[in-house]
Amino acid sequence: MSNKEIVLLNQFVGEKTELHGDDPKAMLKILTAVEKASTNVHRTINKAGLEDILGAAGSENVQGEQVQKLDLFANEQFIENLKGTGYIAAIASEENEEIITLNETGEYLFATDPLDGSSNIDVNISVGTIFSVFKRTRKGTPKKEEFNRYGHEQILAGYVLYGTSTVLVYTCGHGVHSFTFDTKTNTFALTNASIKTPEKGNIFSINEGNYNTLEKGVQDYISYCKELNEKGKRTHTARFMGSLVADFHRNMLKGGIFIYPATADAPKGRLRLLYECNPIAMIAEQAGGIATWGAERLLAIKAEEIHQRTPFFTGSKEMMEKALSFLTKESEYRIQESEKIS
Ligand code: AFP
């Protein structure tokens, strides 16, 4: 093993102020809180099976999904640590129907899915935390409507992937940087600055269990991915873990496309705009990829409510362009949404 120079997350954020927007001090505080919360989540997830932390907590969240004990633990960690910064006015979390006020004088809003993919925890598959930060446009008691913002207004977006190692990835609009958790020192160290996703790729990630309920354009794209080349060999490979952060992270590094379109069960898509798709879309764009809801840039959508869902297509430029070329203009959902944006 080589002895390369170690740059810790707080050092990187503190020193490279030009990469951290208008208020680098606030970004440092917020990212340090995210680091602390995700360190606790990492430790607890790693004890899954040994302690009574697996399984359902016995309630449903606002999406009607079974809340897992670890969902609640992760939610508490982010709330507690962000409260301590003084910078966050309110949090919109997947786990809470209403926003949670942290500090009325805080200048920022935080949206999060504290533990995405949590239905996978019991079977030891990677999960993630996804987060997004907006600057407030008003002062005083935070209101839920303040979260109704365009994705392109995010000033910080990121995720933590609790995988074979735990990795924190973020952008403040000046490149995507990733840090790996060192279990010996309990710190996150820089492992990849200014990540760029390959322009081409061959991984397609979609839940094909939904195939028969998908619009024809998406079905046709899936068939295209399954075509063989002139030598009779496959042209693409399929990967879908059911854990957005893990699926996206792999595709960003290797080149691929992730699709969660509208389905019969979820006519507006399954994933949440504010705290799943927006942050991932900002990372995707910053890495040189594309993110859309099917017709236009995802970051051009203005949220109408905190738990809003959206269809989501993101990935490497060439794969995305090909996929979008299959989508017909006739999709009713797309026509309605396009009208709202234009
Ligand atoms: P859970 O957090 O309920 O496990 O959902 C995970 C998720 O939001 C996202 O991470 C996956 O890509 C997607 O749902 C999987 O949904 P399907 O089970 O419908 O494929």
Side-chain angles (χ1 to χ4, degrees):
M1 293 241 284
S2 65
N3 282 333
K4 66 174 189 176
E5 193 201 346
I6 292 170
V7 179
L8 300 182
L9 177 64
N10 57 357
Q11 252 176 296
F12 184 79
V13 184
E15 287 167 13
K16 303 257 178 207
T17 49
E18 70 282 7
L19 302 180
H20 295 91
D22 294 341
D23 192 351
K25 203 170 139 226
M27 296 306 104
L28 176 59
K29 279 267 187 187
I30 295 169
L31 280 164
T32 304
V34 168
E35 178 180 23
K36 279 190 196 147
S38 44
T39 297
N40 292 343
V41 174
H42 161 94
R43 283 212 198 97
T44 306
I45 286 177
N46 275 271
K47 286 189 281 188
L50 298 171
E51 292 181 10
D52 182 26
I53 45 176
L54 287 176
S59 57
E60 284 186 352
N61 66 15
V62 61
Q63 329 287 343
E65 296 155 354
Q66 278 286 324
V67 171
Q68 307 291 312
K69 287 178 197 158
L70 281 169
D71 281 324
L72 298 181
F73 175 80
N75 200 31
E76 281 160 19
Q77 291 307 311
F78 282 91
I79 293 169
E80 279 313 306
N81 281 287
L82 288 159
K83 201 174 187 172
T85 67
Y87 279 102
I88 304 295
I91 296 190
S93 163
E94 194 209 8
E95 299 309 324
N96 304 98
E97 182 152 12
E98 298 298 326
I99 62 166
I100 299 171
T101 297
L102 297 191
N103 186 331
E104 297 213 346
T105 58
E107 289 173 60
Y108 298 93
L109 302 169
F110 192 90
T112 186
D113 184 345
L115 208 54
D116 184 66
S118 55
S119 55
N120 288 317
I121 293 173
D122 291 2
V123 289
N124 220 338
I125 285 178
S126 304
V127 290
T129 294
I130 314 176
F131 61 94
S132 160
V133 175
F134 292 95
K135 186 154 172 90
R136 291 184 79 189
T137 51
R138 60 183 290 282
K139 291 191 170 28
T141 309
K143 293 196 180 129
K144 198 163 146 174
E145 294 68 39
E146 285 184 54
F147 283 89
N148 296 349
R149 305 279 293 271
Y150 291 98
H152 63 72
E153 294 179 278
Q154 293 173 104
I155 55 163
L156 165 61
Y159 58 78
V160 183
L161 171 60
Y162 310 96
T164 41
S165 61
T166 291
V167 179
L168 191 159
V169 178
Y170 76 90
T171 182
C172 285
H174 300 278
V176 177
H177 317 296
S178 86
F179 295 79
T180 302
F181 186 67
D182 181 343
T183 50
K184 281 203 191 111
T185 56
N186 286 330
T187 52
F188 279 87
L190 181 67
T191 34
N192 214 340
S194 302
I195 296 173
K196 286 291 166 209
T197 189
E199 277 203 12
K200 297 173 199 260
N202 74 342
I203 304 170
F204 70 105
S205 307
I206 183 166
N207 184 343
E208 278 198 71
N210 292 320
Y211 184 86
N212 286 332
T213 80
L214 303 181
E215 66 177 273
K216 187 164 176 309
V218 180
Q219 290 178 332
D220 289 347
Y221 179 65
I222 294 173
S223 303
Y224 161 80
C225 289
K226 291 179 177 178
E227 280 173 12
L228 302 179
N229 66 16
E230 58 290 348
K231 291 183 181 146
K233 300 268 168 56
R234 73 179 186 206
T235 52
H236 292 77
T237 189
R239 294 283 186 276
F240 187 78
M241 295 179 67
S243 193
L244 171 62
V245 176
D247 280 315
F248 173 79
H249 188 72
R250 179 201 53 240
N251 292 359
M252 176 176 73
L253 296 181
K254 294 193 163 183
I257 187 169
F258 174 93
I259 304 177
Y260 210 116
T263 66
D265 286 346
K268 291 195 164 185
R270 168 165 166 38
L271 303 179
R272 279 50 63 111
L273 173 63
L274 203 62
Y275 42 76
E276 289 186 302
C277 302
N278 264 349
I280 296 283
M282 184 171 176
I283 300 258
E285 286 194 1
Q286 283 292 315
I290 293 178
T292 117
W293 50 270
E296 281 156 10
R297 192 180 174 214
L298 186 100
L299 298 181
I301 300 181
K302 185 174 183 191
E304 289 168 356
E305 56 114 358
I306 58 175
H307 298 294
Q308 180 175 340
R309 295 176 190 264
T310 178
F312 192 39
F313 300 70
T314 187
S316 299
K317 191 166 172 284
E318 282 198 11
M319 290 188 85
M320 281 293 293
E321 283 168 357
K322 188 74 192 175
L324 295 174
S325 73
F326 281 89
L327 299 184
T328 55
K329 297 274 178 294
E330 294 87 63
S331 156
E332 233 173 75
Y333 177 82
R334 268 201 296 284
I335 291 169
Q336 279 169 17
E337 292 302 307
S338 296
E339 280 167 2
K340 269 195 241 160
I341 287 178
S342 53

mmCIF file of all heavy atoms in Angstrom, residues 65 115-119 207 240 242-244 258 260 270-272 276, ligand 1:
data_model
loop_
_atom_site.group_PDB
_atom_site.id
_atom_site.type_symbol
_atom_site.label_atom_id
_atom_site.label_comp_id
_atom_site.label_asym_id
_atom_site.label_seq_id
_atom_site.Cartn_x
_atom_site.Cartn_y
_atom_site.Cartn_z
ATOM 1 N N GLU A 65 -44.977 3.339 3.321
ATOM 2 C CA GLU A 65 -44.009 2.243 3.344
ATOM 3 C C GLU A 65 -43.656 1.902 4.787
ATOM 4 O O GLU A 65 -43.680 2.773 5.658
ATOM 5 C CB GLU A 65 -42.726 2.653 2.600
ATOM 6 C CG GLU A 65 -42.946 2.925 1.132
ATOM 7 C CD GLU A 65 -41.910 3.881 0.525
ATOM 8 O OE1 GLU A 65 -41.077 4.429 1.275
ATOM 9 O OE2 GLU A 65 -41.966 4.088 -0.684
ATOM 10 N N LEU A 115 -32.187 7.295 5.069
ATOM 11 C CA LEU A 115 -31.708 5.926 4.796
ATOM 12 C C LEU A 115 -32.482 5.350 3.612
ATOM 13 O O LEU A 115 -33.517 4.703 3.788
ATOM 14 C CB LEU A 115 -31.850 5.040 6.042
ATOM 15 C CG LEU A 115 -30.849 3.905 6.121
ATOM 16 C CD1 LEU A 115 -29.408 4.387 6.006
ATOM 17 C CD2 LEU A 115 -31.016 3.144 7.409
ATOM 18 N N ASP A 116 -31.970 5.599 2.429
ATOM 19 C CA ASP A 116 -32.661 5.136 1.226
ATOM 20 C C ASP A 116 -32.272 3.689 0.926
ATOM 21 O O ASP A 116 -31.117 3.300 1.083
ATOM 22 C CB ASP A 116 -32.264 6.025 0.039
ATOM 23 C CG ASP A 116 -33.038 5.643 -1.193
ATOM 24 O OD1 ASP A 116 -34.265 5.838 -1.185
ATOM 25 O OD2 ASP A 116 -32.441 5.122 -2.143
ATOM 26 N N GLY A 117 -33.275 2.938 0.492
ATOM 27 C CA GLY A 117 -33.029 1.512 0.185
ATOM 28 C C GLY A 117 -33.126 0.660 1.431
ATOM 29 O O GLY A 117 -32.663 -0.476 1.464
ATOM 30 N N SER A 118 -33.771 1.225 2.485
ATOM 31 C CA SER A 118 -33.714 0.554 3.788
ATOM 32 C C SER A 118 -34.411 -0.802 3.802
ATOM 33 O O SER A 118 -34.148 -1.614 4.682
ATOM 34 C CB SER A 118 -34.260 1.455 4.882
ATOM 35 O OG SER A 118 -35.552 1.865 4.549
ATOM 36 N N SER A 119 -35.283 -1.066 2.801
ATOM 37 C CA SER A 119 -35.890 -2.395 2.775
ATOM 38 C C SER A 119 -34.826 -3.458 2.471
ATOM 39 O O SER A 119 -35.066 -4.648 2.611
ATOM 40 C CB SER A 119 -37.033 -2.448 1.747
ATOM 41 O OG SER A 119 -36.552 -2.042 0.489
ATOM 42 N N ASN A 207 -35.933 -1.556 -12.848
ATOM 43 C CA ASN A 207 -36.656 -2.703 -12.311
ATOM 44 C C ASN A 207 -37.551 -3.262 -13.412
ATOM 45 O O ASN A 207 -38.612 -2.717 -13.707
ATOM 46 C CB ASN A 207 -37.488 -2.279 -11.097
ATOM 47 C CG ASN A 207 -38.176 -3.476 -10.461
ATOM 48 O OD1 ASN A 207 -38.292 -4.537 -11.071
ATOM 49 N ND2 ASN A 207 -38.627 -3.293 -9.234
ATOM 50 N N PHE A 240 -29.446 -3.937 -11.201
ATOM 51 C CA PHE A 240 -30.422 -3.150 -10.437
ATOM 52 C C PHE A 240 -30.478 -3.708 -9.025
ATOM 53 O O PHE A 240 -30.877 -4.838 -8.810
ATOM 54 C CB PHE A 240 -31.812 -3.208 -11.098
ATOM 55 C CG PHE A 240 -32.805 -2.278 -10.458
ATOM 56 C CD1 PHE A 240 -32.785 -0.910 -10.732
ATOM 57 C CD2 PHE A 240 -33.765 -2.754 -9.552
ATOM 58 C CE1 PHE A 240 -33.699 -0.041 -10.137
ATOM 59 C CE2 PHE A 240 -34.680 -1.893 -8.951
ATOM 60 C CZ PHE A 240 -34.636 -0.538 -9.256
ATOM 61 N N GLY A 242 -32.018 -2.012 -6.393
ATOM 62 C CA GLY A 242 -33.158 -1.526 -5.608
ATOM 63 C C GLY A 242 -32.692 -0.593 -4.510
ATOM 64 O O GLY A 242 -33.375 -0.383 -3.501
ATOM 65 N N SER A 243 -31.510 -0.011 -4.689
ATOM 66 C CA SER A 243 -30.953 0.931 -3.728
ATOM 67 C C SER A 243 -30.343 2.048 -4.580
ATOM 68 O O SER A 243 -29.256 1.893 -5.140
ATOM 69 C CB SER A 243 -29.894 0.187 -2.903
ATOM 70 O OG SER A 243 -29.533 0.917 -1.779
ATOM 71 N N LEU A 244 -31.087 3.136 -4.708
ATOM 72 C CA LEU A 244 -30.743 4.184 -5.673
ATOM 73 C C LEU A 244 -29.294 4.657 -5.581
ATOM 74 O O LEU A 244 -28.607 4.803 -6.592
ATOM 75 C CB LEU A 244 -31.709 5.373 -5.479
ATOM 76 C CG LEU A 244 -31.406 6.656 -6.242
ATOM 77 C CD1 LEU A 244 -31.444 6.435 -7.748
ATOM 78 C CD2 LEU A 244 -32.389 7.757 -5.838
ATOM 79 N N PHE A 258 -29.555 4.927 -15.217
ATOM 80 C CA PHE A 258 -30.522 4.493 -14.209
ATOM 81 C C PHE A 258 -31.878 5.061 -14.606
ATOM 82 O O PHE A 258 -31.993 6.258 -14.892
ATOM 83 C CB PHE A 258 -30.130 5.027 -12.824
ATOM 84 C CG PHE A 258 -31.165 4.722 -11.776
ATOM 85 C CD1 PHE A 258 -31.070 3.580 -11.004
ATOM 86 C CD2 PHE A 258 -32.264 5.559 -11.595
ATOM 87 C CE1 PHE A 258 -32.055 3.270 -10.067
ATOM 88 C CE2 PHE A 258 -33.252 5.264 -10.660
ATOM 89 C CZ PHE A 258 -33.132 4.116 -9.892
ATOM 90 N N TYR A 260 -36.005 5.145 -13.432
ATOM 91 C CA TYR A 260 -37.222 4.767 -12.699
ATOM 92 C C TYR A 260 -38.344 5.594 -13.301
ATOM 93 O O TYR A 260 -38.605 6.712 -12.896
ATOM 94 C CB TYR A 260 -37.123 4.938 -11.177
ATOM 95 C CG TYR A 260 -38.022 3.898 -10.529
ATOM 96 C CD1 TYR A 260 -37.520 2.899 -9.733
ATOM 97 C CD2 TYR A 260 -39.387 3.874 -10.814
ATOM 98 C CE1 TYR A 260 -38.335 1.897 -9.208
ATOM 99 C CE2 TYR A 260 -40.205 2.888 -10.303
ATOM 100 C CZ TYR A 260 -39.677 1.902 -9.510
ATOM 101 O OH TYR A 260 -40.504 0.915 -9.023
ATOM 102 N N ARG A 270 -41.816 6.656 -8.919
ATOM 103 C CA ARG A 270 -41.785 6.185 -7.528
ATOM 104 C C ARG A 270 -40.872 7.054 -6.662
ATOM 105 O O ARG A 270 -41.108 7.254 -5.491
ATOM 106 C CB ARG A 270 -41.258 4.744 -7.512
ATOM 107 C CG ARG A 270 -40.884 4.214 -6.128
ATOM 108 C CD ARG A 270 -40.750 2.733 -6.179
ATOM 109 N NE ARG A 270 -40.131 2.005 -5.108
ATOM 110 C CZ ARG A 270 -40.197 2.212 -3.805
ATOM 111 N NH1 ARG A 270 -40.845 3.214 -3.305
ATOM 112 N NH2 ARG A 270 -39.594 1.411 -2.972
ATOM 113 N N LEU A 271 -39.825 7.586 -7.269
ATOM 114 C CA LEU A 271 -38.815 8.282 -6.473
ATOM 115 C C LEU A 271 -39.235 9.710 -6.143
ATOM 116 O O LEU A 271 -40.000 10.330 -6.888
ATOM 117 C CB LEU A 271 -37.477 8.269 -7.209
ATOM 118 C CG LEU A 271 -36.950 6.872 -7.560
ATOM 119 C CD1 LEU A 271 -35.641 6.962 -8.314
ATOM 120 C CD2 LEU A 271 -36.789 6.020 -6.297
ATOM 121 N N ARG A 272 -38.716 10.213 -5.041
ATOM 122 C CA ARG A 272 -39.102 11.534 -4.551
ATOM 123 C C ARG A 272 -38.189 12.613 -5.144
ATOM 124 O O ARG A 272 -36.967 12.442 -5.186
ATOM 125 C CB ARG A 272 -39.031 11.579 -3.022
ATOM 126 C CG ARG A 272 -40.220 10.985 -2.319
ATOM 127 C CD ARG A 272 -40.679 9.623 -2.746
ATOM 128 N NE ARG A 272 -39.713 8.562 -2.538
ATOM 129 C CZ ARG A 272 -39.822 7.594 -1.661
ATOM 130 N NH1 ARG A 272 -40.884 7.516 -0.904
ATOM 131 N NH2 ARG A 272 -38.904 6.646 -1.553
ATOM 132 N N GLU A 276 -34.523 12.716 -3.193
ATOM 133 C CA GLU A 276 -33.857 11.601 -3.884
ATOM 134 C C GLU A 276 -33.308 12.087 -5.233
ATOM 135 O O GLU A 276 -32.112 12.055 -5.495
ATOM 136 C CB GLU A 276 -34.815 10.426 -4.104
ATOM 137 C CG GLU A 276 -35.169 9.689 -2.816
ATOM 138 C CD GLU A 276 -36.004 8.443 -3.063
ATOM 139 O OE1 GLU A 276 -37.111 8.540 -3.650
ATOM 140 O OE2 GLU A 276 -35.567 7.353 -2.649
HETATM 141 P P1 AFP B 1 -36.787 1.749 0.063
HETATM 142 O O1 AFP B 1 -36.056 2.873 0.769
HETATM 143 O O2 AFP B 1 -38.214 1.617 0.499
HETATM 144 O O3 AFP B 1 -36.023 0.460 0.119
HETATM 145 O O4 AFP B 1 -36.879 2.207 -1.478
HETATM 146 C C1 AFP B 1 -35.724 2.345 -2.230
HETATM 147 C C2 AFP B 1 -36.012 3.194 -3.446
HETATM 148 O O5 AFP B 1 -36.566 4.425 -3.066
HETATM 149 C C3 AFP B 1 -34.758 3.413 -4.309
HETATM 150 O O6 AFP B 1 -33.573 3.416 -3.587
HETATM 151 C C4 AFP B 1 -34.820 2.299 -5.315
HETATM 152 O O7 AFP B 1 -34.204 2.611 -6.537
HETATM 153 C C5 AFP B 1 -36.299 2.103 -5.507
HETATM 154 O O8 AFP B 1 -36.923 2.523 -4.293
HETATM 155 C C6 AFP B 1 -36.646 0.659 -5.773
HETATM 156 O O9 AFP B 1 -38.010 0.556 -5.992
HETATM 157 P P2 AFP B 1 -38.637 -0.816 -6.527
HETATM 158 O O10 AFP B 1 -38.612 -1.765 -5.358
HETATM 159 O O11 AFP B 1 -40.003 -0.447 -6.979
HETATM 160 O O12 AFP B 1 -37.775 -1.299 -7.652
#
